[in-house]
Each structure stands twice: as C-alpha cells, then as structure tokens.
Amino acid sequence: MITRKVRKWEKLPGKNTFCCDGRVMMARQKGVFYLTLFLITGTCALFFAFECPYLAVSLSPAIPVFAVLLFLFVMAMLLRTSFSDPGVLPRALPEEATFIEMEIEAANGNVPAGQRPPPRIRNVQINNQIVKLKYCYTCKIFRPPRASHCSICDNCVDRFDHHCPWVGNCVGKRNYRYFYLFTLSLSLLTIYIFTFDIVHVVMREYPDTPLASHRLNVLEVLVCFFTLWSVVGLTGFHTYLISLNQTTNEDIKGSWSGKNRGQNPYSHKNIIKNCCEVLCGPTYPSVLDRRGLLQEDTPIPSSNPVPQTTKTTAPLIPNEHTPDDAKPSIAASAEKSSSPKEEHPAATKVPPLASPETDAETSIAKERAH
Amino acid sequence: MRQQAAVTAKVFIQRDYTNGTMCQFQTKFPSELETRIDKQQFEETVRALNNLYTEAEKLGSQSYIEGCLACLTAYTVFLCMETHYEKVLKKIAKYIQEQNDKIYAPRGLLLTDPIERGLRVIEITIFEDRSLTR
C-alpha cells in the first residue's frame, strides 16, 4: 500500500476549481472573469499610456497617482472576491445525514403507501418571524436561514447572494463585502477615467495642446460609458440591499416584500447598523478546510485503486421520498403558503441528488440582470 | 492497548436560530446522553460555547475598527494579522479539548469541534461503555 498525502480540496464535492494548492477557489466557468480582467486592465492601460502624460503635465501629477491607487484597489477587491470561499457549507457526513433522515421519518410518522410524503421543511422562529428551512437533497442538510444551493457550483452557500459570472464565483457571506467594494471602486474608477477623458477631449480643442491618439480615446470613452451605467446601477442596487440587510436572492424571491410575507427578521431596522453589519462585521473564517491533509491509501498499481477518504459520496438510505416541494408544508406555519408559486413544478419527480431547485432560476436570472 | 472503543452512536446538537443567523447551539439535552452525563454539565458546556461564538461574532467597536482598517489596506493586513474571529476559534478549540479531557472522555463521550462540521452541529460521539474493564 502506498500512503500518499492529499489535501482536502482535492476530494471536495462540488463543481469548483482550485488553484495554488487549495488557496484559490473559483467556479468552473472562468471565461467572463477573464473578460472582466481584460476590460479593466485594458482600459486603464490605455488611460495611463495616452491620457496621463498629458494630464500630469497640464493639470496635476496627482491625477495619475490617484488613478493608480484606485486601479490597484479595484484589482485587489476583484481578486479577493473571485478567489475566496464565498461561505460554502460542507456536505453532511454519512452519520449526520442518517441522523437527519431518522429525525425526518420520526416527524413524518407513517405515510400510507401510494401517498407522497410531505416536503422536508423545518420551521424556525427568528425574531418573531417564521422562517422555513428547506432540506437540500444534494448536501443532505437542512439549509441554515439565508443559505441557498448554487446549482452552478453545486454547493450550499451561506447568506447566498447570487452567482456572478463576471467575478467567476458565487457571492455569499464571506465575500459579499469585497464584491460590494469592487463594484463601488470600479464605479469610481470608471467615473474618474470618463471625466478625465472628457476633460482631455475638451482641452484638445485648443490649438496649442498636443494630439493624443484619437481613436483610442474614443474607445476608452465608449467602454467607460457602457460600464458606467451597468456598474453604477449595480452599486446602487447593492447599496439599497445592504441598507435593508437583504440578499439579491431574497429580493428576487420577494421573501420580505409585500404585506403577507412579513418583515425581514435579519434587519436591525436601522440603515447605519445594517450597513455596519454587512461591511464592517466580523470576517468569517472558511469552514472548508481546503488545505488540510487527508491520508489516502492506494494499493500497489496492479489492482483497482480505492481511495478511502473521510468524505464518502455513497448514498446512505435509498431515498424513496420524492422531493415534492410543490405541495404546501403540513407543519403548522403562520405564513400563508406561497411555496407552490416559488418552486418549480418539475421538481416533483427528480432523484434526490439532482439540484432542481429555484436557485438555478435565480442565479440564471441574476446573470441576465448583469 | 486499543484506545479506540466501539462507537455506539452519534448525537448531533443542532443550531439555534431564534436570535438570527448568529452561531448558537441548542441547549436541549438529548435523550441518548441521559445515562452518560448529567444535564447541567452538558448545558454548561453548550452555553459556554455559545458565549464564545457570541464573542467571535460580536458587532462592536472592535470589529468595526478592524473592518475599517482592513478596508483601508485593501485587506492586505490579514496577511500578517489574525482576525478576531480566528483568535476566538482557537480559544474554542482549546476549550473543547479541555472539556473532552476533563469531563467527556472519562464518560466515554467525545465532542467534535463544530468548525469541522461547517459550524452546523456539535457532534457528540458515544463510545461503548468500558467502565467494566477499568
């Protein structure tokens, strides 16, 4: 038997890619992320090469210096958002999953044959508001409040906001503030470059100013103009969400809007406190021990290698229960049930390890919204 | 001498969400532990853990200063400094180790640090009662 040490990230389920021996964690599709990098660095490179020499001389050298600092901050925030663990919840180990299954079966009692068992929902009361915790068939856990399963990354993420293809990662509890600072600083950078482009164009009208490359200037202005509307709009939207302590996911599902839905139990009812909590709250550690070591025993190459790891993906109890989230919960619930409206009707006959939930819809909807 | 006794069962103490999403665990005493440990001892352990997690996640002037300072340095300060949460997690790990050594191991129980279970549950492993062989 050859014993080799593997790091835990190599055995993590889910559709993430890891780099630098587990230090970097991203989604699989990174194409749009490279585009983001290209647009930002490309536009800034043009600005520094063609506008800054003129602006530094005729106006002030502080202009390019501030632009450099802002650019570095934008890149730092982008990379921090893209490379960090958004708050992924590890899947339940077999014993925990069995324990939960037993609890569910005990709660459901005897279901007559032929009848669908009730959906797996736990009701908890948070600050006098009933919140439903749904069971995740992929991760085999009851999702904590505000967590959601991202079907693109195939992970449950705590305080799930949305999956952002522009940063190539999910945005969740651990990286939301970096995402927000990225959009905010990018808005400032775009406005900054746009303003000085206009200033440069205006100043060039006078005969004694040197001519810079006209076409590149126009390209910069165009990129900035389109970026401006989308990024500034996005920053404004997230500022609104932060002041109410809501996630994009909750906003799309309309969890806390409307009279019969109740009030947001997570909000402090004070804009400043909400902002402080989201932006200056504690920095949560990653609960995925990506760089921890696992002992893996592989037999000598003549036989089939069967690695033994602490995480098994073997199904524990063959799940006869179909995930029928479309039916209202039978558990006593103060909320008038609107779950059939939320859930996708096609979720009824899907095998448990699929992730057919509305989170796919919301993440795709959000992608389109970007 | 084999240290590993047979595992008879595992109990999972779930999270308590009544005060929001802060990390707190339920203090309800599970029936499987009735013969092994007394209720008060168990509740004291869970309450102490809850207090430690509250300290880690507290929104106060310290966390705000840390947050603002980190933001101003583009979060590079965390390359050399440990976050407040990480410091408290170390305290929690030490506390659990202590509790295991003094109270739980003599009774054939083992507490698993919740961080190893994604801060979702406190896993308590119940070992076979070896009191007859002692």
Side-chain angles (χ1 to χ4, degrees):
Chain A
M1 292 276 258
I2 305 164
T3 308
R4 68 181 191 99
K5 290 211 167 104
V6 293
R7 299 237 183 226
K8 287 185 185 170
W9 65 264
E10 297 178 61
K11 298 291 168 195
L12 280 176
K15 297 182 191 158
N16 291 99
T17 47
F18 297 90
C19 309
C20 301
D21 201 18
R23 290 182 181 89
V24 166
M25 179 171 173
M26 289 182 79
R28 269 192 199 160
Q29 302 96 328
K30 298 187 269 293
V32 188
F33 168 68
Y34 294 136
L35 176 67
T36 309
L37 278 177
F38 173 72
L39 285 174
I40 297 175
T41 46
T43 313
C44 290
L46 291 177
F47 180 71
F48 292 132
F50 296 105
E51 320 278 318
C52 284
Y54 171 74
L55 290 167
V57 163
S58 59
L59 286 177
S60 161
I63 294 171
V65 168
F66 186 71
V68 169
L69 292 174
L70 199 50
F71 168 72
L72 290 174
F73 189 78
V74 168
M75 292 309 289
M77 292 299 103
L78 172 62
L79 296 179
R80 187 102 196 193
T81 311
S82 304
F83 294 167
S84 56
D85 171 7
V88 172
L89 295 168
R91 298 188 185 187
L93 295 178
E95 297 106 350
E96 191 187 337
T98 320
F99 184 82
I100 296 176
E101 292 264 356
M102 280 178 4
E103 270 192 351
I104 295 171
E105 277 171 33
N108 286 346
N110 279 327
V111 179
Q115 249 191 42
R116 280 201 198 109
R120 299 181 170 193
I121 289 183
R122 221 177 238 176
N123 288 311
V124 291
Q125 192 177 56
I126 300 178
N127 293 331
N128 299 319
Q129 177 74 33
I130 301 282
V131 174
K132 289 183 176 183
L133 303 186
K134 289 192 208 155
Y135 182 75
C136 180
Y137 284 90
T138 313
C139 304
K140 306 220 187 295
I141 55 170
F142 275 98
R143 286 188 212 122
R146 314 193 92 176
S148 198
H149 191 96
C150 175
S151 48
I152 299 172
C153 300
D154 204 21
N155 288 317
C156 270
V157 178
D158 206 355
R159 203 187 184 280
F160 180 72
D161 195 83
H162 65 284
H163 181 98
C164 184
W166 299 94
V167 303
N169 203 355
C170 286
V171 177
K173 183 166 83 171
R174 294 191 72 241
N175 63 357
Y176 185 62
R177 75 189 65 180
Y178 310 129
F179 174 75
Y180 178 73
L181 290 172
F182 165 63
T183 56
L184 183 65
S185 53
L186 185 61
S187 305
L188 292 174
L189 182 66
T190 313
I191 292 171
Y192 193 83
I193 293 181
F194 191 65
T195 311
F196 284 106
D197 275 351
I198 304 292
V199 164
H200 187 203
V201 167
V202 164
M203 289 179 93
R204 233 184 35 226
E205 294 303 302
Y206 296 94
D208 57 347
T209 56
L211 272 174
S213 171
H214 182 65
R215 286 202 194 112
L216 290 169
N217 194 9
V218 168
L219 183 68
E220 272 176 62
V221 170
L222 275 175
V223 171
C224 286
F225 184 75
F226 289 111
T227 313
L228 205 71
W229 290 111
S230 43
V231 177
V232 170
L234 190 66
T235 311
F237 174 63
H238 280 283
T239 311
Y240 161 76
L241 287 181
I242 289 176
S243 63
L244 294 178
N245 202 333
Q246 265 192 33
T247 62
T248 307
N249 195 271
E250 286 165 356
D251 187 70
I252 286 182
K253 287 186 175 164
S255 308
W256 313 119
S257 55
K259 283 186 204 152
N260 27 340
R261 296 267 193 169
Q263 303 242 304
N264 184 355
Y266 314 110
S267 169
H268 297 279
K269 311 277 186 274
N270 177 338
I271 291 180
I272 305 216
K273 250 198 140 176
N274 283 339
C275 292
C276 284
E277 187 196 315
V278 177
L279 299 175
C280 306
T283 29
Y284 298 96
S286 171
V287 295
L288 285 182
D289 184 20
R290 303 193 296 275
R291 290 178 43 78
L293 291 168
L294 278 177
Q295 205 86 6
E296 188 178 295
D297 291 324
T298 50
I300 305 163
S302 56
S303 50
N304 281 332
V306 177
Q308 280 152 20
T309 59
T310 55
K311 280 193 168 58
T312 58
T313 49
L316 46 119
I317 296 172
N319 200 345
E320 309 106 20
H321 306 296
T322 54
D324 192 3
D325 292 315
K327 291 254 164 62
S329 167
I330 57 164
S333 166
E335 216 178 320
K336 300 289 174 288
S337 180
S338 47
S339 40
K341 189 170 46 150
E342 286 182 341
E343 304 300 330
H344 199 287
T348 45
K349 290 292 175 199
V350 176
L353 287 181
S355 48
E357 292 137 49
T358 51
D359 311 294
E361 320 324 272
T362 56
S363 42
I364 293 167
K366 208 49 219 158
E367 270 177 69
R368 280 203 222 106
H370 279 273
Chain B
M1 177 177 130
R2 273 194 66 200
Q3 213 181 3
Q4 285 290 9
V7 177
T8 42
K10 287 193 182 189
V11 189
F12 298 90
I13 312 298
Q14 304 288 329
R15 285 270 295 270
D16 176 14
Y17 295 114
T18 46
N19 291 323
T21 49
M22 286 189 57
C23 185
Q24 298 281 280
F25 291 95
Q26 290 179 359
T27 48
K28 193 172 79 99
F29 187 59
S31 50
E32 293 93 332
L33 297 178
E34 262 162 27
T35 52
R36 298 297 192 108
I37 191 169
D38 58 33
K39 189 169 162 195
Q40 239 167 338
Q41 185 65 66
F42 169 81
E43 280 180 13
E44 208 183 282
T45 310
V46 181
R47 269 199 208 109
L49 283 174
N50 283 342
N51 287 335
L52 284 166
Y53 283 113
T54 308
E55 191 195 319
E57 298 189 6
K58 195 172 61 169
L59 293 175
S61 50
Q62 197 197 2
S63 71
Y64 294 152
I65 291 172
E66 193 185 62
C68 289
L69 175 72
C71 179
L72 289 171
T73 60
Y75 296 93
T76 50
V77 74
F78 290 139
L79 292 170
C80 35
M81 196 179 91
E82 216 178 35
T83 67
H84 173 66
Y85 208 114
E86 282 166 358
K87 288 191 190 124
V88 180
L89 282 179
K90 286 202 172 142
K91 262 192 356 196
I92 290 171
K94 224 176 85 174
Y95 175 76
I96 289 180
Q97 181 69 43
E98 242 176 80
Q99 290 283 295
N100 272 334
D101 290 337
K102 287 193 208 149
I103 300 167
Y104 289 84
R107 291 173 171 78
L109 299 171
L110 179 72
L111 288 178
T112 305
D113 195 335
I115 196 85
E116 291 173 35
R117 298 287 177 265
L119 289 180
R120 280 196 319 269
V121 288
I122 304 177
E123 185 182 298
I124 303 181
T125 315
I126 304 173
F127 292 103
E128 191 189 306
D129 202 347
R130 290 289 194 99
S131 53
L132 296 169
T133 58
R134 281 179 198 264

